[in-house]
């Protein structure tokens, strides 16, 4: 089997097809200024000049803590539009359609408009309000006490891991 090869350019060692692909890899060559024979080369003991100090970096703009308001709406649609909306998760409403707003709330903190208008969005500050506050201070779950006439019957252990769990019917129904 023979393959066709492209001859390499002698100055670059690449084919002409690869020349444009690798042009950005090579550093740009700038011609060096002509040396003035009257100037003496700087010695390594000469005092070094320090570059001027860099200007201070601009301060970051204050982060936007405002709410992003969304509306939970109720829209009456035809069965065909309902089918499309159920499949796609969205639909196009006709122009001039009136939409009833059920609730107005912030997309980030999920709090109603009338409770948090004029304040910063809690989700942009800290999201602990969504998980019920500090987890170390929450009350532990209470184990339910069985009824007075109940009797506990000890059972065997259930294997929930590995191939034994699959074969015994934990992850699939028994035959």
């Amino acid at each position: 089997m023979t393959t066709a090869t492209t001859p390499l350019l002698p100055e670059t060692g690449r084919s002409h097809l690869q020349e444009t692909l690798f042009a950005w890899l090579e550093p740009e060559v700038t011609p060096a200024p002509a040396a003035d024979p009257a100037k003496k080369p700087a010695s390594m003991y000469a005092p070094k000049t320090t570059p001027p100090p860099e200007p201070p970096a601009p301060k970051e703009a204050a982060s936007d803590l405002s709410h992003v308001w969304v509306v939970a709406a109720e829209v009456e649609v035809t069965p065909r539009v309902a089918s499309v909306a159920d499949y796609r998760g969205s639909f196009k409403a006709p122009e001039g359609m009136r939409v009833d707003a059920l609730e107005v709330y912030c997309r980030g903190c999920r709090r109603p408009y009338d409770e948090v208008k004029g304040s910063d969005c809690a989700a942009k500050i800290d999201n602990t309000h969504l998980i019920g506050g500090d987890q170390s201070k929450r009350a532990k779950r209470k184990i339910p006490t069985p009824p007075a006439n109940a009797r506990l019957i000890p059972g065997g252990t259930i294997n929930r891991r590995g191939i034994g769990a699959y074969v015994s019917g934990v992850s699939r129904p028994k035959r």
Side-chain angles (χ1 to χ4, degrees):
M1 176 171 101
T2 61
T3 57
T5 58
T6 307
L8 298 178
L9 299 174
E11 57 273 355
T12 61
R14 294 190 196 109
S15 76
H16 70 283
L17 298 174
Q18 294 177 334
E19 193 61 35
T20 57
L21 294 175
F22 296 104
W24 61 276
L25 285 175
E26 297 174 7
E28 294 182 16
V29 179
T30 55
D36 188 11
K39 274 189 171 179
K40 293 183 180 176
S43 77
M44 55 187 235
Y45 299 109
K48 295 180 180 178
T49 58
T50 58
E54 294 182 15
K59 293 181 180 177
E60 277 189 32
S63 59
D64 182 24
L65 299 177
S66 62
H67 293 276
V68 178
W69 300 111
V70 293
V71 176
E74 185 174 284
V75 178
E76 189 174 333
V77 294
T78 63
R80 183 172 180 261
V81 174
S83 165
V84 170
D86 182 49
Y87 179 73
R88 290 193 177 162
S90 65
F91 67 96
K92 291 186 179 181
E95 184 178 343
M97 175 185 265
R98 182 160 177 86
V99 178
D100 298 328
L102 299 176
E103 186 180 8
V104 179
Y105 59 94
C106 175
R107 178 182 285 160
C109 64
R110 302 278 186 187
R111 292 187 175 157
Y113 175 78
D114 55 347
E115 285 183 14
V116 293
K117 66 180 174 185
S119 64
D120 292 337
C121 181
K124 293 182 180 177
I125 298 170
D126 187 14
N127 257 346
T128 56
H129 72 284
L130 292 176
I131 58 171
D134 186 8
Q135 299 295 308
S136 64
K137 296 178 183 175
R138 288 178 62 186
K140 300 298 178 194
R141 291 190 178 121
K142 296 176 183 171
I143 299 173
T145 56
N149 60 353
R151 192 173 55 152
L152 293 177
I153 301 171
T157 59
I158 299 172
N159 181 13
R160 290 187 169 91
R161 299 183 190 277
I163 191 71
Y166 179 77
V167 172
S168 66
V170 173
S171 60
R172 62 173 180 77
K174 290 185 176 181
R175 290 188 178 193

